[in-house]
Amino acid sequence: MSVAASSNMNMKFLYAGIAIALLIAIAAPFLASPDPDGLESAAGSIVEESKLAGMEVSAPFVESPMADYAIEGQGKMGEVVAVVAGTILVLGISFVLGKAAKKK
Amino acid sequence: MHIPDSFIPMGQAIVYWVIALPFIFMSIKWARKELDDMKVPILAALAAGIFAIQALNIPIGMGTSGHMVGAVLVSIIFGSPMAGVLVLTLVLLVQGFVFGDGGITTMGANILNMGVISGFTGYYLFVVLKNKTGIKAASFVGAWIGLLISALACAVEMSIAGTFPLVAGLATMGLYHLIIGFIGEGLITAIVITAIEKSRPDLLDSSVTNVKGVRA
């Protein structure tokens, strides 16, 4: 296989990967379980309530623009936009960083 | 398993950053040595897919959910746990700064757990198993156990932080992630690796597809 053809196939893999990632990103807000994750759930069951309440009200170190994968007041659509935006952001950063780091 | 800022005191959080940083540097060194024009698109697509799938929490019963982490999958595809560290670092940076998922002070601990510990344990378990069990079973077990071990490490960190009691933390985190790891990590990793092996075996690192483990 020529280098050009192989590179072309890898671009196809990129497009297929992006399509799958975006499909998951769009579906995630509707399909994801609202239950707490393993760490939060463990905290809820083994940390005393008063201590946990104190930990939960303490503000995060940095305020996030789209905390909890949501946009304030925008409901499910806001969540879809947030996860899709994050997916594209990760894609862009990885691509640019990968291109910058790769062997010359 | 994303640890928020309030779960680890600042001093300890810095220690985990100090432990994680050399691995982050090594992963960048890996990228400089291994990445080329063919591999960059694969890395970017995988990173995007892992960010998206981490937003998809799967219910596991007991009022708990969990999601895939993905470090083992990336490590197997690229034939190095450094690839998993790199991708998880990028994903955790965006999750922490943009979405408040995982803290900023605790990001070092999160990179250590999900990128380094799950990736290294899972990848090397895969390497040890693949000649005996084949790629499918080895990727399943590697991803499953890699996630479980990282959850146990997280429980130990929570205990040192004074957040969880040690035994209850190990038991609860262990139980939840035994289940999360089976479905969310093991099954998905095995399915994706099998699909790539069938359709595009050239994408997998030669050390993976060559069952004898000898690089071509």
Side-chain angles (χ1 to χ4, degrees):
Chain A
M1 191 188 316
S2 76
V3 170
S6 176
S7 168
N8 199 18
M9 278 177 76
N10 282 12
M11 288 312 285
K12 272 190 191 150
F13 182 90
L14 175 68
Y15 300 139
I18 295 170
I20 294 168
L22 288 178
L23 275 178
I24 298 170
I26 293 164
F30 300 97
L31 298 180
S33 163
D35 288 336
D37 78 2
L39 179 66
E40 293 163 336
S41 185
S45 63
I46 60 181
V47 178
E48 303 125 63
E49 232 166 272
S50 56
K51 189 174 158 192
L52 190 64
M55 279 158 48
E56 275 168 356
V57 294
S58 70
F61 191 71
V62 171
E63 287 296 337
S64 309
M66 291 185 267
D68 295 325
Y69 303 93
I71 298 168
E72 227 180 315
Q74 297 300 313
K76 280 284 173 210
M77 273 326 288
E79 292 179 36
V80 170
V81 171
V83 181
V84 168
T87 303
I88 294 170
L89 188 61
V90 170
L91 180 79
I93 293 174
S94 313
F95 197 82
V96 170
L97 201 101
K99 284 281 182 194
K102 74 179 169 89
K103 53 190 170 195
K104 300 292 176 294
Chain B
M1 211 199 304
H2 291 56
I3 305 168
D5 287 314
S6 60
F7 277 38
I8 300 181
M10 181 69 91
Q12 292 178 24
I14 292 170
V15 172
Y16 296 122
W17 261 118
V18 170
I19 302 172
L21 273 175
F23 289 98
I24 299 169
F25 283 124
M26 280 188 276
S27 78
I28 295 169
K29 250 178 102 175
W30 170 85
R32 297 186 78 92
K33 193 164 151 270
E34 295 291 331
L35 283 186
D36 53 25
D37 280 324
M38 323 289 270
K39 287 178 180 165
V40 171
I42 302 169
L43 185 91
L46 274 172
I50 281 165
F51 174 86
I53 209 158
Q54 287 205 1
L56 188 59
N57 278 55
I58 303 162
I60 59 156
M62 302 174 287
T64 305
S65 70
H67 59 71
M68 184 184 197
V69 166
V72 184
L73 175 65
V74 177
S75 302
I76 294 174
I77 291 175
F78 282 98
S80 167
M82 285 305 161
V85 175
L86 183 67
V87 166
L88 263 289
T89 301
L90 295 172
V91 167
L92 283 161
L93 275 168
V94 171
Q95 287 172 333
F97 280 104
V98 184
F99 300 99
D101 192 10
I104 306 300
T105 61
T106 50
M107 197 180 288
N110 285 324
I111 291 170
L112 183 66
N113 293 338
M114 287 183 269
V116 179
I117 297 176
S118 94
F120 271 76
T121 318
Y123 175 73
Y124 286 109
L125 197 54
F126 165 82
V127 169
V128 168
L129 289 176
K130 76 180 163 74
N131 290 341
K132 301 184 189 88
T133 66
I135 290 174
K136 206 184 292 182
S139 55
F140 171 79
V141 174
W144 180 21
I145 303 303
L147 184 82
L148 175 65
I149 300 292
S150 70
L152 295 176
C154 179
V156 172
E157 293 155 14
M158 291 296 99
S159 157
I160 298 170
T163 304
F164 289 2
L166 181 62
V167 175
L170 284 172
T172 319
M173 287 293 282
L175 171 66
Y176 291 159
H177 290 88
L178 196 69
I179 305 169
I180 296 168
F182 187 94
I183 311 162
E185 204 72 42
L187 279 181
I188 299 176
T189 302
I191 290 168
V192 174
I193 293 291
T194 308
I196 295 178
E197 196 205 359
K198 287 228 161 72
S199 61
R200 290 288 310 277
D202 57 303
L203 287 181
L204 294 172
D205 189 83
S206 56
S207 67
V208 174
T209 37
N210 188 332
V211 176
K212 291 270 171 273
V214 182
R215 273 175 187 268

